[in-house]
Amino acid sequence: MIAAGAAVFIEPVPAGACTYGVAATAAGLEISRDSGRVAVFPGMPVPEVSVLTTAAEGLPQAGGLAVGLHTDDRYDSQPTGVKTALLLAHLLALSGTAVLAWRIWGRVRLLRTRPRWADAVVASVAASWVLLGPVQYDDAWDVLMSRNAWDSGYLGNYVYMFNVTENRFVLSQYLMQFWGGVGEFNLWWLRLLPLAYGLVTWVALRLLLATTLGRSASHRWVPWALAVAFLAWWLPYGMTLRPEPLILCLTAVTMLLAEVAAAARASRRPLRRRSSRRWP
């Protein structure tokens, strides 16, 4: 056996049936034969298996040679019953909240805004940034993870940690996995996702200003001031495959819905009656 570039264990295969075992743990490497320890190498890191070869003859044909490999699963885990119950309780609470909101407020209708030149400028600059924007530090990392997820069927930390399942920002990574499978796992195609997040964020912020400012939103400088603030964030940080653009997009939508609900409660009128109002 060769590990870490050096031969660590060599011996003739004994006559008759026998079983060799190689176990790599945090304590080191251990080799056993027929459940008996034959060699120990403390502190040796977990080996990476690149090839399996043998000089034994006749064994494969006789069905006497077999190999089973069990990869490092030190991070493997299963959700406990308490965690599963809490997740189901959160799902039921969210569903109940949505039902109550529908019964109290009815169908949500947002204020409409007239298109302005600021909208065209933001959309054009954001779209051009798909090809002109600099590559972020973690973009290659996210591309590798999404491409590996398409092949393996799950999101794993493909770059390091032995491809352990990655559960930090799974929504954005699942979307990248799907989008890359639909098209290609290259940078410009995957960047269409943060572009979409950015445009939805811009629309949500425009509607948010129209809801909170009222008639003051009709001033010509309001959309331009928002455009400057938006692009000041978007140009250095928005075009990235990290999860922050999606998080900010959902945050902007949540703020908009909260303001619409607060405005409807203050006026004590159903939201459907507010659809007749139209701000520039």
Side-chain angles (χ1 to χ4, degrees):
M1 177 182 174
I2 299 176
V8 295
F9 182 75
I10 298 176
E11 74 170 13
V13 178
C18 65
T19 301
Y20 283 93
V22 179
T25 65
L29 191 67
E30 178 181 310
I31 302 175
S32 61
R33 182 179 65 245
D34 295 331
S35 301
R37 183 184 301 175
V38 295
V40 178
F41 303 92
M44 180 171 287
V46 177
E48 296 181 2
V49 179
S50 58
V51 63
L52 296 171
T53 182
T54 179
E57 298 180 359
L59 293 178
Q61 291 78 5
L65 185 64
V67 175
L69 293 177
H70 303 276
T71 58
D72 189 328
D73 61 349
R74 70 182 70 176
Y75 300 105
D76 190 21
S77 64
Q78 295 289 336
T80 62
V82 175
K83 183 175 183 180
T84 303
L86 287 175
L87 291 175
L88 292 177
H90 279 86
L91 180 61
L92 292 176
L94 179 60
S95 302
T97 302
V99 171
L100 289 176
W102 179 267
R103 290 175 61 88
I104 294 174
W105 294 318
R107 190 174 180 180
V108 175
R109 294 182 183 273
L110 303 176
L111 297 177
R112 294 175 294 175
T113 59
R114 292 192 180 95
R116 297 287 189 177
W117 281 109
D119 301 315
V121 170
V122 168
S124 300
V125 173
S128 65
W129 221 236
V130 172
L131 299 177
L132 301 179
V135 177
Q136 301 291 338
Y137 178 78
D138 287 332
D139 283 351
W141 183 79
D142 286 285
V143 171
L144 288 174
M145 288 187 61
S146 60
R147 184 173 62 186
N148 176 70
W150 180 261
D151 295 331
S152 63
Y154 73 96
L155 281 168
N157 200 323
Y158 181 73
V159 182
Y160 56 93
M161 289 190 178
F162 308 102
N163 202 27
V164 63
T165 53
E166 185 82 355
N167 292 319
R168 296 184 302 157
F169 313 111
V170 290
L171 177 59
S172 63
Q173 292 171 343
Y174 276 135
L175 292 175
M176 267 195 299
Q177 174 190 351
F178 169 77
W179 188 244
V182 170
E184 300 180 34
F185 286 98
N186 57 38
L187 185 60
W188 78 267
W189 178 257
L190 293 179
R191 277 185 162 189
L192 295 180
L193 285 176
L195 172 62
Y197 305 152
L199 295 180
V200 173
T201 302
W202 167 254
V203 173
L205 293 178
R206 286 274 280 127
L207 295 174
L208 179 63
L209 285 187
T211 303
T212 56
L213 296 182
R215 294 189 178 276
S216 298
S218 61
H219 291 290
R220 186 178 304 176
W221 57 267
V222 171
W224 286 108
L226 179 62
V228 172
F230 178 83
L231 292 177
W233 160 76
W234 172 262
L235 294 181
Y237 303 115
M239 186 54 68
T240 176
L241 299 181
R242 286 181 54 85
E244 283 81 2
L246 178 58
I247 294 173
L248 186 60
C249 173
L250 298 178
T251 301
V253 172
T254 301
M255 292 172 58
L256 172 62
L257 295 178
E259 286 296 329
V260 170
R265 181 179 181 181
S267 61
R268 298 187 181 279
R269 290 183 297 176
L271 294 179
R272 58 173 60 93
R273 298 180 182 176
R274 299 177 63 84
S275 60
S276 61
R277 297 177 60 186
R278 182 185 180 94
W279 301 119

